[in-house]
RNA sequence: GGAUUCUUAGCUCAGUUGGUUAGAGCACCUGCCUUACAAGCAGGGGGUCACAGGUUCGAGUCCUGUAGAGUCCACCA
């Protein structure tokens, strides 16, 4: 028997370990169709936040649904080494101990990283268990493990040999704190207070100057030209002449270039080809010299003595001061402009000229665009609009900088000897030196759906389970991850890596702002699980919003989800008490209400399955809640009370069993707890039981309609009693047309035999008539509903009029689907009958 | 500049090939400790579906525009 109170902390104890020990999470049943998912690998040193909890809940709902529905489910778990994020954390930790990364050296530093990784990966495992994730632990991967290492090397070498990866000297985004290159996607732009510094650039051999505005005066040391627009009449005479770069007094040319916009700033732009991507292009067009004036830590080099080794921000102050002192500064105009920051270290990004490895994107991006036009082979996004967003990204993408000057990661498999370059995992021979850089962490995650399945060794796993079936991702990592998996998979495996991609939004605080540590409005899954249970959290997260939209976290709503589970608990408790003795189900002598609930159950199941298959979980929950709370609890359980026959018990059992199974993917723990108490079980655990199927034997349309009408009558009569304050002991005159429905009326309206009278009594009375029942209540006290009947008649008349008008419209009758028209005709008939009854 | 989402009850949200008279939870009002559940039961009130046009027999749903809020991409000397 179930305990009296639903206590999630008790219910959720020890079940996960049992499931795991019994091997329910393992894949490999060759008789079944595979269903594969790879878990988006969280950062190994990170903590699970609500967004993760949401993401994994969606996947686990699906894993459990598909498993119960007869698929060989493989859900591959794993973690990401998160190169720069982890490295930054370890560097920080060492710094606090007074240890410098570079002094420690590569090997020792990597040992520190591994130690850190081992320490933290335990947390992730605990949280996975806490969320109830049915992942196949035997296939767990890490983006730095042997399997991933092989795949990354194979991919790199293949792409290098095909010319898809190249080395080039370009301006890239540089993180001076981590001292590494970044991809465009790892730069976060923020609006900051800055200024336009208007500086005098004297025209050579004259007393005239032009006003050049810049936000970064410290870069003037690297100026090798000033650009003006060729159509700018103000400067047309200056083109080809020389101007003097202040402080260094270098003479540079004025060039005409469209990069300089007439309306922007002063129309004259200083050109620093080594320190600005646009200027770099201008430099290329005009064959300008590139002067590098900062080192990898953003300290000044190749500058006059007094500026040497200054930090870039110090240098700016000093440059401005020097300009002022020499009367070279015209104005400082305060502006707000957006500046890039490193996603992980939050350091201001410096455009930096350096030699890096790049993935050549054009052809890869085109392959995505082309495949997405092919219905058979494309990835289906839920919601669909993200297909367009992927296409847009593909159309305008830049080459991807994949080399990182970090140590924590997979080292680039390139070897140098003199001017020879060889791509190879191992040293190609005597005297070769390996490239010191590692690969962007996203290079390995981009291979995740197939690297994890041992693509590199063409394993059976890869052959059976790839391409995968389903992927979840928040829309914030579509460009980082989803898009890259798509083109890498097309490139290396020739197919898209997954069939369906479910895109969810972000979790926000109740006020709509982002949840973040700095705002102090963050909520952790652990807190919420402790308070309401994992079942409530999962159900809440997966069913409260429509697919693709953000979710405003509302603890009150989570709490009412707990109430829903509590309701299920109590309904189950009642049912189990009543069906304890049931040995096998028998459906002889089904009563009207039995047929009704079985029919409702069937209809519910139909809707639930349809929406499960479309990943429309919010519709699943709406349907289930209505069925469980209204139909099953409020009506059927009430009707089943005081009935002891095998048929009632069987129906109670069938419906409860089905409810538990439909709910199990969402709330695995409580459904297992209750399932274990069922008198008849089709499996040793609900996890491996069969998902219910729509059953024609449970279809009773006509009877179902009769009961629906009776239930409507009951609500109306209760309303009548409430408004007139009619008490239990009121006398009643009753006439029920369908004998089978009488029991329902009497039990639901709590009609006592001794209150039933035959004759009209000379006291207040109210009457209710429908096609099933004619009932009159006689009662003491005042009559509150004099106008009630009048109102009802009026409403009915209006409705009839509306419907008659509609049905006399030829366009409607001819064009609307037949079912809709028939329904209207039927309703009209019913309303007319009802009106007639009332008018009598 | 380009793209995109949202605007439905006091609050948080559903409403998916256009189809009865728009739903839920919370909150609110009335009455109930009816032995599964007071974290509950029964009943009730509350919405010109942001606004303006259009398509249609029929629009919360499709189209166009307007307003407000948000997000992404690009640019930002």
């Amino acid at each position: 028997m179930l305990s009296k109170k639903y206590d999630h902390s008790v219910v959720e104890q020890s079940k996960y370990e049992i499931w795991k020990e019994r091997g329910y999470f393992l894949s490999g049943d060759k008789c079944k169709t595979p269903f594969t998912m790879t878990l988006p690998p969280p950062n190994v040193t990170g903590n699970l936040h609500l967004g993760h909890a949401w993401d994994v809940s969606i996947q686990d709902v699906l894993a459990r649904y598909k498993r119960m529905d007869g698929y060989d489910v493989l859900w591959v778990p794993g973690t990401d080494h998160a190169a720069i994020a982890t490295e930054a954390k370890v560097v920080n930790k060492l710094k606090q101990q007074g240890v410098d990364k570079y002094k420690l050296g590569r090997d020792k530093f990597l040992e520190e990283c591994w130690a850190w990784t081992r320490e933290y990966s335990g947390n992730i495992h605990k949280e996975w268990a806490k969320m109830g994730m049915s992942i196949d632990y035997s296939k767990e991967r890490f983006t730095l493990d042997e399997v991933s290492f092989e795949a990354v090397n194979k991919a790199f070498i293949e792409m290098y040999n095909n010319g898809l990866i190249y080395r080039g000297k370009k301006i890239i985004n540089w993180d001076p704190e981590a001292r590494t290159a970044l991809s465009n996607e790892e730069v976060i732009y923020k609006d900051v207070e800055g200024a336009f510094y208007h500086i005098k650039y004297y025209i050579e051999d004259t007393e005239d100057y032009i006003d050049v505005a810049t936000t970064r005066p410290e870069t003037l040391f690297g100026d090798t030209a000033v650009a003006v627009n060729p159509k700018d009449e103000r400067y047309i005479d200056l083109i080809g002449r020389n101007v003097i770069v202040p402080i260094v007094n270098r003479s540079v040319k004025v060039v005409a270039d469209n990069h300089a916009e007439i309306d922007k700033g002063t129309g004259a732009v200083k050109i620093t080809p080594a320190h600005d991507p646009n200027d770099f292009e201008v430099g290329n067009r005009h064959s300008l010299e590139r002067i590098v004036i900062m080192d990898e830590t953003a300290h000044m080099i190749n500058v006059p003595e007094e500026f040497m080794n200054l930090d870039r921000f110090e240098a700016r102050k000093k440059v401005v001061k020097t300009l002022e002192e020499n009367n070279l500064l015209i104005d400082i105009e305060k502006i707000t402009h957006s500046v890039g920051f490193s996603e992980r270290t939050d350091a201001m990004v410096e455009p930096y000229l350096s030699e890096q490895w790049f993935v050549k994107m054009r052809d890869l991006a085109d392959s995505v665009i082309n495949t997405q036009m092919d219905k058979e082979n494309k990835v289906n996004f839920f919601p669909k609009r993200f297909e367009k967003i992927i296409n847009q990204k593909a159309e305008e993408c830049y080459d991807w900088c994949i080399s990182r000057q970090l140590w924590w990661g997979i080292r680039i498999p390139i070897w140098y000897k003199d001017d020879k370059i060889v791509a190879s995992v191992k040293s190609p021979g005597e005297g070769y030196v390996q490239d010191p850089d590692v690969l962007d962490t996203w290079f390995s995650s981009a291979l995740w759906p197939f690297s994890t399945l041992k693509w590199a060794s063409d394993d059976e796993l890869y052959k059976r389970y790839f391409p995968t079936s389903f992927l979840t991702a928040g829309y914030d990592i579509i460009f980082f991850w989803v898009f890259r998996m798509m083109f890498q998979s097309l490139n290396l495996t020739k197919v898209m890596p997954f069939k369906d991609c479910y895109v969810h939004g972000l979790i926000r605080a109740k006020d709509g702002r982002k949840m973040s540590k700095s705002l102090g409005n963050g909520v952790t899954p652990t807190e919420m699980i402790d308070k309401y249970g994992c079942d409530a959290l999962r159900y809440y997260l997966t069913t409260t919003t429509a697919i693709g939209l953000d979710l405003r976290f509302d603890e009150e709503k989570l709490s009412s989800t707990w109430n829903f589970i509590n309701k299920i608990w109590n309904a189950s408790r009642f049912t189990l008490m009543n069906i304890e003795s049931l040995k096998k189900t028998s459906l002889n002598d089904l009563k009207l209400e039995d047929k009704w609930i079985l029919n409702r159950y069937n209809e519910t199941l139909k809707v639930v399955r349809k929406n499960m298959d479309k990943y429309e979980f919010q519709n699943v929950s709406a349907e289930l809640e209505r069925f469980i709370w209204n139909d099953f609890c409020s009506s059927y359980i009430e009707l089943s009370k005081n009935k002891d026959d095998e048929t009632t018990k069987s129906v109670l059992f069938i419906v409860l069993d089905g409810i538990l199974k439909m709910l199990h993917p969402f709330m695995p723990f409580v459904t297992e707890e209750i399932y274990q108490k069922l008198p008849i079980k089709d499996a040793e655990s609900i996890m491996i039981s069969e998902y219910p199927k729509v059953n024609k034997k449970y279809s009773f349309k006509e009877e179902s309609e009769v009961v629906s009408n009776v239930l409507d009558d009951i609500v109306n009569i209760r309303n009548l009693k409430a408004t007139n304050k009619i008490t239990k002991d009121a006398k009643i005159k009753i006439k029920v047309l369908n004998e089978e429905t009488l029991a329902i009326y009497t039990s639901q309206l709590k009609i006592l035999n001794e209150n039933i009278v035959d004759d009209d009594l000379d006291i207040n009375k109210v009457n209710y008539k429908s096609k099933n029942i004619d009932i009159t209540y006689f009662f003491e006290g005042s009559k509150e509903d004099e106008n009630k009947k009048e109102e009802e008649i009026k409403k009915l008349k209006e409705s009839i009029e509306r419907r008659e008008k509609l049905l006399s419209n030829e366009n409607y009758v001819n064009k609307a689907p037949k079912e809709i028209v028939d329904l209207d005709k039927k309703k009209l008939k019913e309303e007319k009958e009802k009106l007639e009854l009332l008018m009598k």
Side-chain angles (χ1 to χ4, degrees):
Chain A
M1 200 46 52
L2 288 179
S3 63
K4 193 154 165 51
K5 287 272 170 195
Y6 164 57
D7 181 343
H8 57 264
S9 63
V10 173
V11 167
E12 292 175 13
Q13 229 167 43
S14 73
K15 288 190 178 56
Y16 191 80
E17 289 68 32
I18 293 170
W19 291 332
K20 195 174 157 187
E21 273 163 30
R22 289 191 185 159
Y24 298 160
F25 301 160
L26 298 174
S27 56
D29 188 340
K30 295 272 164 62
C31 307
K32 297 174 175 174
T33 311
F35 179 87
T36 317
M37 297 189 291
T38 50
L39 176 79
N43 289 355
V44 65
T45 62
N47 274 326
L48 208 65
H49 56 249
L50 271 177
H52 284 124
W54 191 8
D55 195 71
V56 301
S57 296
I58 292 162
Q59 292 170 74
D60 199 45
V61 164
L62 217 59
R64 287 174 186 271
Y65 170 58
K66 291 291 179 181
R67 197 177 288 116
M68 289 171 80
D69 208 22
Y71 289 83
D72 172 23
V73 172
L74 168 56
W75 185 10
V76 181
T79 47
D80 195 300
H81 68 284
I84 189 168
T86 306
E87 184 152 333
K89 279 182 192 168
V90 175
V91 165
N92 252 329
K93 178 195 149 201
L94 290 172
K95 204 185 261 171
Q96 278 167 16
Q97 298 168 357
V99 180
D100 179 75
K101 169 190 161 187
Y102 298 96
K103 281 188 189 138
L104 191 65
R106 189 165 191 145
D107 291 343
K108 288 225 169 103
F109 179 78
L110 286 178
E111 274 171 35
E112 291 286 335
C113 290
W114 278 110
W116 179 272
T117 297
R118 277 189 294 272
E119 191 186 328
Y120 277 84
S121 71
N123 286 350
I124 299 246
H125 282 86
K126 267 183 226 148
E127 283 167 339
W128 285 349
K130 222 168 183 167
M131 288 302 298
M133 295 165 59
S134 57
I135 42 182
D136 186 344
Y137 285 96
S138 72
K139 308 289 188 299
E140 184 177 345
R141 306 278 186 252
F142 178 47
T143 53
L144 278 191
D145 67 12
E146 198 53 37
V147 173
S148 176
F149 182 79
E150 268 182 50
V152 167
N153 281 308
K154 183 178 169 178
F156 186 98
I157 293 167
E158 199 178 307
M159 289 171 76
Y160 176 76
N161 292 334
N162 294 335
L164 284 167
I165 286 180
Y166 66 93
R167 194 157 78 133
K169 196 168 188 182
K170 295 200 205 183
I171 298 243
I172 42 82
N173 299 295
W174 183 264
D175 177 340
E177 191 171 321
R179 299 190 210 172
T180 180
L182 301 173
S183 65
N184 293 353
E185 284 73 18
E186 287 164 299
V187 179
I188 310 287
Y189 287 90
K190 293 188 218 170
D191 279 344
V192 296
E193 293 287 314
F196 259 137
Y197 297 88
H198 291 260
I199 303 170
K200 293 177 183 171
Y201 278 57
Y202 277 96
I203 298 156
E204 201 171 30
D205 301 327
T206 72
E207 295 299 306
D208 285 339
Y209 59 83
I210 52 175
D211 178 350
V212 174
T214 177
T215 53
R216 307 198 51 202
E218 70 279 12
T219 61
L220 64 79
F221 299 116
D223 286 0
T224 52
V226 166
V228 296
N229 194 284
K231 289 186 187 132
D232 194 336
E233 288 176 6
R234 291 172 294 177
Y235 301 117
I236 207 128
D237 296 339
L238 287 177
I239 294 166
R241 293 183 66 178
N242 286 352
V243 293
I244 306 296
V245 178
I247 304 179
V248 285
N249 295 322
R250 182 166 55 239
S251 169
V252 299
K253 236 194 283 175
V254 175
V255 299
D257 196 286
N258 284 326
H259 165 61
E261 289 175 42
I262 297 171
D263 302 333
K264 210 159 172 182
T266 59
V269 194
K270 64 197 252 336
I271 301 298
T272 321
H275 289 274
D276 181 281
N278 288 312
D279 293 5
F280 183 77
E281 297 299 325
V282 177
N284 286 348
R285 288 197 283 271
H286 300 275
S287 311
L288 300 175
E289 193 190 347
R290 299 168 190 160
I291 305 174
V292 174
I293 56 147
M294 280 182 210
D295 67 7
E296 57 186 19
T297 62
H299 286 70
M300 309 304 285
I301 52 169
N302 299 328
V303 293
E305 190 59 39
E306 69 251 57
F307 296 96
M308 274 299 272
N309 294 323
L310 285 181
D311 169 80
R312 53 186 165 161
F313 302 112
E314 291 299 314
R316 177 177 302 175
K317 282 183 202 157
K318 191 154 184 183
V319 166
V320 172
K321 202 172 155 226
T322 310
L323 290 171
E324 268 179 327
E325 285 166 3
N326 293 288
N327 194 24
L328 291 162
L329 192 67
I330 302 161
D331 188 23
I332 300 175
E333 183 191 340
K334 290 247 186 296
I335 55 157
T336 305
H337 62 148
S338 76
V339 176
F341 292 84
S342 168
E343 191 201 12
R344 297 299 175 185
T345 66
D346 206 36
M348 193 182 278
V349 165
E350 194 60 43
Y352 188 64
L353 182 67
S354 64
E355 191 136 58
Q356 303 288 347
W357 289 92
F358 295 89
V359 170
K360 202 168 158 185
M361 283 303 305
R362 195 58 270 149
D363 290 351
L364 294 173
D366 285 341
S367 74
V368 170
I369 296 169
N370 292 331
T371 310
Q372 281 305 92
M373 287 190 292
D374 171 3
K375 265 190 189 151
E376 291 293 303
N377 298 308
K378 66 186 274 232
V379 174
N380 300 305
F381 281 82
F382 298 81
K384 211 173 173 55
R385 73 183 125 92
F386 287 101
E387 292 177 15
K388 206 171 152 190
I389 290 174
I390 285 279
N391 267 335
Q392 246 172 284
K393 174 71 183 178
E395 267 158 26
E396 50 170 44
C397 65
Y398 294 85
D399 283 359
W400 173 20
C401 176
I402 50 169
S403 45
R404 295 289 179 276
Q405 288 64 48
L406 300 169
W407 292 342
W408 180 238
I410 294 178
R411 205 157 157 182
I412 293 175
I414 287 285
W415 299 77
Y416 305 101
K417 184 182 177 183
D418 306 323
D419 53 355
K420 275 179 279 188
I421 297 180
V422 180
S424 160
V425 181
K426 291 195 177 124
S427 172
E430 193 75 13
Y432 275 90
V433 178
Q434 189 174 7
D435 194 301
D437 292 351
V438 300
L439 287 161
D440 181 5
T441 200
W442 295 102
F443 190 88
S444 48
S445 355
L447 314 178
W448 189 248
F450 46 97
S451 70
T452 52
L453 298 173
K454 302 191 179 176
W455 157 77
S457 52
D458 200 25
D459 195 89
E460 285 304 315
L461 212 58
Y462 171 70
K463 288 180 189 158
R464 176 166 166 80
Y465 294 101
F466 191 80
T468 68
S469 318
F470 181 86
L471 180 98
T472 45
Y475 58 67
D476 53 329
I477 55 166
I478 285 195
F479 301 143
F480 276 107
W481 193 46
V482 178
F483 174 60
R484 284 173 179 161
M485 281 191 283
M486 288 166 81
F487 69 70
Q488 283 296 54
S489 187
L490 282 175
N491 168 32
L492 298 162
T493 76
K494 307 301 165 212
V495 291
M496 284 294 193
F498 27 80
K499 207 66 220 150
D500 290 350
C501 181
Y502 180 115
V503 182
H504 63 255
L506 306 176
I507 303 238
R508 295 176 176 280
K510 203 182 169 180
D511 59 7
R513 291 192 299 175
K514 275 190 184 170
M515 271 194 185
S516 73
K517 278 180 199 155
S518 54
L519 289 172
N521 58 359
V523 175
T524 67
T526 312
E527 289 170 60
M528 293 300 113
I529 290 171
D530 289 346
K531 230 163 148 182
Y532 304 99
C534 161
D535 285 334
L537 182 64
R538 288 168 56 118
Y539 185 83
Y540 167 71
L541 290 174
T542 49
T543 63
T544 38
T545 53
I547 192 161
L549 298 181
D550 288 349
L551 187 151
R552 284 196 197 196
F553 190 79
D554 183 355
E555 197 174 328
E556 272 181 38
K557 222 164 174 174
L558 178 57
S559 157
S560 59
T561 299
W562 190 97
N563 290 359
F564 175 50
I565 299 177
N566 186 48
K567 182 75 184 177
I568 295 163
W569 180 269
N570 281 304
S572 302
R573 220 160 71 81
F574 172 86
T575 307
L576 289 171
M577 272 161 34
N578 282 278
I579 63 173
E580 223 168 358
S581 61
L582 193 70
K583 294 279 182 296
K584 67 179 201 354
T585 56
S586 67
L587 296 179
N588 306 322
D589 310 317
L590 285 169
K591 295 179 294 304
L592 208 50
E593 61 264 32
D594 300 331
K595 291 178 180 173
W596 167 75
I597 194 72
L598 287 174
N599 189 71
R600 282 292 303 127
Y601 167 64
N602 230 18
E603 298 292 318
T604 302
L605 184 54
K606 210 181 280 174
V607 176
V608 166
R609 287 197 84 117
K610 190 179 104 196
N611 284 292
M612 289 297 280
D613 292 336
K614 293 194 297 178
Y615 318 122
E616 303 273 359
F617 303 135
Q618 74 285 6
N619 293 344
V620 172
S621 66
E623 189 65 18
L624 281 175
E625 281 169 40
R626 184 165 49 236
F627 176 68
I628 294 169
W629 212 306
N630 300 348
D631 295 342
F632 187 57
C633 294
S634 297
S635 300
Y636 189 73
I637 283 187
E638 291 306 320
L639 288 168
S640 78
K641 280 181 179 172
N642 304 319
K643 292 202 177 78
D644 196 29
D645 59 290
E646 293 300 296
T647 304
T648 304
K649 287 180 189 172
S650 298
V651 173
L652 277 170
F653 165 76
I654 288 166
V655 175
L656 178 63
D657 181 64
I659 285 172
L660 293 175
K661 286 171 180 171
M662 286 190 278
L663 285 172
H664 179 260
F666 299 93
M667 33 182 89
F669 293 101
V670 72
T671 50
E672 176 75 316
E673 176 84 11
I674 302 166
Y675 181 82
Q676 290 303 332
K677 305 279 160 73
L678 289 178
I680 304 168
K681 286 187 290 175
D682 57 338
E684 65 175 356
S685 161
I686 191 169
M687 237 201 98
I688 52 165
S689 71
E690 202 182 323
Y691 201 86
K693 290 192 169 69
V694 174
N695 190 338
K696 270 189 201 141
K697 282 193 301 190
Y698 299 160
S699 182
F700 299 101
K701 289 230 162 61
E702 274 174 42
E703 292 93 332
S704 196
E705 202 171 307
V706 172
V707 176
S708 292
N709 286 328
V710 170
L711 294 174
D712 284 348
D713 285 343
I714 286 165
V715 171
N716 291 334
I717 294 166
R718 279 175 180 161
N719 180 9
L720 205 67
K721 285 172 73 180
T723 49
N724 288 294
K725 298 196 169 69
I726 293 172
T727 56
K728 287 185 257 212
D729 35 68
K731 300 282 183 232
I732 297 158
K733 200 169 103 179
I734 183 169
K735 198 172 128 201
V736 174
L737 299 181
N738 179 345
E739 278 304 313
E740 260 190 298
T741 64
L742 178 62
I744 302 178
Y745 285 111
T746 51
S747 75
Q748 293 311 95
L749 295 170
K750 309 243 182 290
I751 291 170
L752 304 171
N753 264 334
E754 55 265 33
N755 289 354
I756 298 178
V757 294
D758 281 335
D759 23 281
D760 277 337
L761 301 175
D762 192 19
I763 48 175
N764 273 337
K765 61 180 175 184
V766 283
N767 171 262
Y768 177 84
K769 269 185 211 167
S770 74
K771 67 177 174 185
N772 297 305
I773 188 170
D774 182 346
I775 186 165
T776 308
Y777 281 90
F778 303 94
F779 61 104
E780 308 289 342
S782 60
K783 197 164 158 183
E784 299 280 335
D785 90 326
E786 287 292 340
N787 301 319
K788 198 109 189 170
K789 195 169 167 182
E790 292 301 315
E791 256 175 52
E792 211 184 334
I793 290 173
K794 197 179 147 210
K795 266 191 191 166
L796 261 179
K797 279 183 175 164
E798 278 168 9
S799 186
I800 288 168
E801 198 183 335
R802 194 185 60 81
R803 245 183 263 278
E804 276 178 335
K805 202 173 147 196
L806 191 62
L807 285 167
S808 65
N809 182 335
E810 271 180 48
N811 272 323
Y812 171 71
V813 178
N814 294 334
K815 289 182 185 174
K818 197 169 175 299
E819 313 91 75
I820 303 288
V821 179
D822 286 350
L823 199 65
D824 258 315
K825 284 182 181 161
K826 195 178 135 205
K827 286 279 171 185
L828 179 64
K829 196 175 150 233
E830 280 172 6
E831 282 168 355
K832 279 183 169 169
E833 284 168 5
K834 188 151 191 212
L835 183 66
E836 209 173 306
L837 275 171
L838 284 170
M839 302 286 273
K840 259 188 205 167

